[in-house]
């Protein structure tokens, strides 16, 4: 099985694919509104620090388990920790499935907005009308499920081609394209009158704005942004050859994740301040506030197309990594062919995901403890399943299987024994503190 297993064609392809998995909608959709809602720089700076420290070592741990276990999260957990750890790995399989089930609904909205931008519709300055426009898409069962299905078809098509011919080839094209599109938009928005206020909000340190909530939010987004805990990075690590240095590669992934988040904030915050809109608008910042900005800009429709193209590219590079979690499991554990695994999983996602898509329309009034189906899936996976998965990875890599995973860290490079000790105890002690904090605050 190990000999027949797919591998990345190059280190660059692996780094770009992993960065794409980490970037996702988080960098352009979630990060700007978290920065806006948590005081700008008092959220931004802790996020950068924690990503390059605790987040980085946990990323190294997950990738190393994948390479050492040479299989899906269930396969790798069982090889390194025994049969009971293999059963624990099913949490990652289930988590990846349910995350993609609601993530695909947002991906569907992104396609809808991209199509509308290409058609020249949906750009008005009245936010009440824009809110109604968003509701007309998300609440219409035909549009919501249809666009969600289209997003899943695109994702399945890429994954069906395999690791090197599908995911890696896509990442080598879309990730550079994403950065180019983002830079074009940033250059345009920085020339808007009043845009410097947005820069000041992002980068001027304001101790008076500091809050514990902002710090805890930064911790949580560090975990979310690096795509840790579901087995996504573990699965990608399982396709690596023995020569790649995981410490250096992980540092590049963390750097590109931070860079994309910064670029996402620079796309959104300067124009928000330039037009006097509310930076704390929350999740609606992307789908309600930004169209109002484009409606007031010269050639606004062109920049709307570029913006939603960025969002769609980011969404697809992340969704393929989530689908690959379950496809790798079905291939390694159940011996299914890749096409069969892709089709069956995608059909299941379309069925379960429809409940998330309909949570803004026909099922909007069906709530339990004040949450819709969409809200519950998001809450459980983000606040419980992903952090618990990260905690298991930290324990397995540092306490139970360190001697097994250590030889797989450095590849063809040599690191000092001191660096290994620092890495191990960072994974063993400091990473679990971060994860437990995320769990407690999430609950």
């Amino acid at each position: 099985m190990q000999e027949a297993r797919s591998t990345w064609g190059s280190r660059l392809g692996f780094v770009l694919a992993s960065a794409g998995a980490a970037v996702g909608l988080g960098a352009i959709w979630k990060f700007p509104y978290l920065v806006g809602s948590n005081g700008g720089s008092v959220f931004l700076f802790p996020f950068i620090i924690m990503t390059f420290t605790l987040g980085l070592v946990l990323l190294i741990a997950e990738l190393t388990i994948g390479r050492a276990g040479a299989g899906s999260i269930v396969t790798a957990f069982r090889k390194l920790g025994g049969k009971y750890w293999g059963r624990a790995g099913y949490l990652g399989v289930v988590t990846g499935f349910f995350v993609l089930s609601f993530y695909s609904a947002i991906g569907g909205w992104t396609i809808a907005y991209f199509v509308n931008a290409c058609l020249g519709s949906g750009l008005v300055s009245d936010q009440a009308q824009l809110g109604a426009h968003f509701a007309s898409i998300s609440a219409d069962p035909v549009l919501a499920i249809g666009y969600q299905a289209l997003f899943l078809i695109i994702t399945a098509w890429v994954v069906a081609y395999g690791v090197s011919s599908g995911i890696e080839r896509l990442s080598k094209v879309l990730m550079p394209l994403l950065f180019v599109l983002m830079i074009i938009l940033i250059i345009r928005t920085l020339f808007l009158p009043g845009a410097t206020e947005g820069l000041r909000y992002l980068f001027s340190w304001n101790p008076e704005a500091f809050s514990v909530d902002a710090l805890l939010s930064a911790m949580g987004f560090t975990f979310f942004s690096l795509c840790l805990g579901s087995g996504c990075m573990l699965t990608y690590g399982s396709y690596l050859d023995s020569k790649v240095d995981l410490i250096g590669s992980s540092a590049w992934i963390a750097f590109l994740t931070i860079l994309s988040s910064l670029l996402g904030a620079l796309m959104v915050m300067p124009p928000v301040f330039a037009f006097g809109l509310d930076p704390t608008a929350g999740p609606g910042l992307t789908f309600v506030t930004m169209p109002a900005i484009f409606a007031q800009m010269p050639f606004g429709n062109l920049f709307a197309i570029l913006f939603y193209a960025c969002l769609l590219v980011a969404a697809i590079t992340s969704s393929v990594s989530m689908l690959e979690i379950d496809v790798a499991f079905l291939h390694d554990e159940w011996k299914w062919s890749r096409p069969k695994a892709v089709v069956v999983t995608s059909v299941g996602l379309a069925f379960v995901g429809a409940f998330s898509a309909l949570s803004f329309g026909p099922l909007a009034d069906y709530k339990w403890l004040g949450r819709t189906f969409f809200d519950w899936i998001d809450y459980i996976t983000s606040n419980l399943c992903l952090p618990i998965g990260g905690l298991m990875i930290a324990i397995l890599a540092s306490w139970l299987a360190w001697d097994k995973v250590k030889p797989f860290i450095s590849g063809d490079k040599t690191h000092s024994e001191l660096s290994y000790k620092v890495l191990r105890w960072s994974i063993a002690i400091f990473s679990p503190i971060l994860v437990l904090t995320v769990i407690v605050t999430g609950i």
Side-chain angles (χ1 to χ4, degrees):
M1 285 299 298
Q2 290 186 24
E3 292 180 356
R5 189 168 181 78
S6 302
T7 59
W8 299 107
S10 65
R11 177 175 178 266
L12 175 63
F14 158 68
V15 170
L16 289 176
S18 299
V23 170
L25 285 169
I28 305 175
W29 172 62
K30 193 169 188 176
F31 186 74
Y33 83 71
L34 285 177
V35 171
S37 303
N38 289 282
S41 59
V42 297
F43 172 90
L44 175 62
F45 294 148
F47 161 68
I48 293 174
I49 293 171
M50 285 186 286
T51 298
F52 266 131
T53 53
L54 301 181
L56 177 60
V57 299
L58 196 55
L59 175 60
I60 294 171
E62 184 163 340
L63 288 171
T64 306
I65 288 176
R67 181 154 72 177
S72 69
I73 185 170
V74 173
T75 307
F77 271 29
R78 185 175 60 249
K79 285 182 179 178
L80 299 175
K83 65 177 182 178
Y84 293 109
W85 273 92
R87 294 173 184 173
Y90 280 92
L91 175 65
V93 176
V94 173
T95 300
F97 181 89
F98 280 106
V99 168
L100 186 52
S101 73
F102 80 83
Y103 187 95
S104 58
I106 307 171
W109 304 340
T110 304
I111 295 178
Y113 270 76
F114 177 71
V115 171
N116 285 342
C118 292
L119 296 175
S121 61
L123 297 185
V124 294
S125 56
D126 186 344
Q127 292 202 47
Q129 293 183 40
L130 288 170
H133 176 67
F134 174 73
S136 69
I137 294 174
S138 60
D140 186 319
V142 175
L143 289 179
I145 293 179
Y147 278 120
Q148 181 187 45
L150 179 58
F151 182 80
L152 286 171
I153 289 171
I154 295 171
T155 302
W157 177 71
V158 175
V159 175
Y161 273 93
V163 175
S164 60
S165 299
I167 299 173
E168 181 175 355
R169 182 175 296 178
L170 175 89
S171 301
K172 283 183 175 180
V173 174
L174 291 191
M175 286 305 293
L177 176 64
L178 174 63
F179 287 120
V180 170
L181 292 176
M182 293 173 86
I183 290 170
I184 292 173
L185 281 166
I186 289 167
I187 292 173
R188 175 64 187 94
T189 57
L190 288 180
F191 281 98
L192 293 171
T196 53
E197 290 299 316
L199 295 177
R200 189 173 294 110
Y201 183 78
L202 284 174
F203 299 113
S204 295
W205 178 252
N206 182 13
E208 295 179 357
F210 179 79
S211 67
V212 175
D213 287 341
L215 180 62
L216 295 176
S217 294
M219 281 188 179
F221 189 73
T222 297
F223 201 85
F224 179 88
S225 67
L226 289 173
C227 201
L228 300 171
S230 66
C232 166
M233 291 301 182
L234 186 154
T235 304
Y236 274 15
S238 72
Y239 298 126
L240 274 172
D241 62 35
S242 59
K243 297 180 180 180
V244 177
D245 173 34
L246 290 183
I247 295 177
S249 297
S250 297
W252 271 108
I253 295 168
F255 169 75
L256 291 175
T257 301
I258 291 174
L259 177 62
S260 60
S261 296
L262 284 173
L263 292 176
L266 287 171
M267 279 198 307
V268 175
M269 283 298 126
V272 165
F273 278 85
F275 289 101
L277 299 176
D278 184 10
T280 64
L285 200 61
T286 298
F287 294 108
V288 178
T289 303
M290 291 306 293
I293 292 172
F294 295 129
Q296 302 174 64
M297 289 173 55
F299 304 104
N301 197 69
L302 172 62
F303 291 105
I305 293 173
L306 294 178
F307 179 80
Y308 288 110
C310 287
L311 200 61
L312 182 57
V313 167
I316 292 173
T317 58
S318 187
S319 65
V320 295
S321 69
M322 286 183 275
L323 180 56
E324 183 63 25
I325 298 171
D326 290 350
V327 170
F329 161 75
L330 293 172
H331 177 71
D332 292 345
E333 294 292 316
W334 293 10
K335 314 306 179 188
W336 284 13
S337 67
R338 175 170 287 270
K340 178 182 177 181
V342 169
V343 170
V344 173
T345 305
S346 299
V347 171
L349 284 166
F351 175 76
V352 177
F355 291 94
S356 290
L358 296 175
S359 294
F360 297 84
L363 300 182
D365 294 329
Y366 290 87
K367 297 181 179 180
W368 185 58
L369 299 178
R371 287 189 171 95
T372 64
F373 184 87
F374 180 99
D375 296 331
W376 273 114
I377 295 297
D378 184 11
Y379 176 81
I380 292 172
T381 55
S382 299
N383 297 300
L384 293 175
C385 296
L386 289 175
I388 290 173
L391 186 62
M392 291 193 299
I393 285 168
I395 293 172
L396 179 61
S398 61
W399 291 103
L400 299 179
W402 175 252
D403 291 337
K404 296 179 181 178
V405 301
K406 179 182 174 183
F408 291 90
I409 295 174
S410 60
D412 58 0
K413 291 193 176 181
T414 303
H415 299 284
S416 67
E417 194 61 32
L418 176 61
S419 65
Y420 285 120
K421 289 182 179 179
V422 171
L423 177 61
R424 180 185 182 182
W425 293 115
S426 296
I427 299 170
I429 298 174
F430 297 111
S431 289
I433 292 174
L434 169 64
V435 174
L436 289 171
T437 302
V438 171
I439 293 173
V440 172
T441 56
I443 295 174

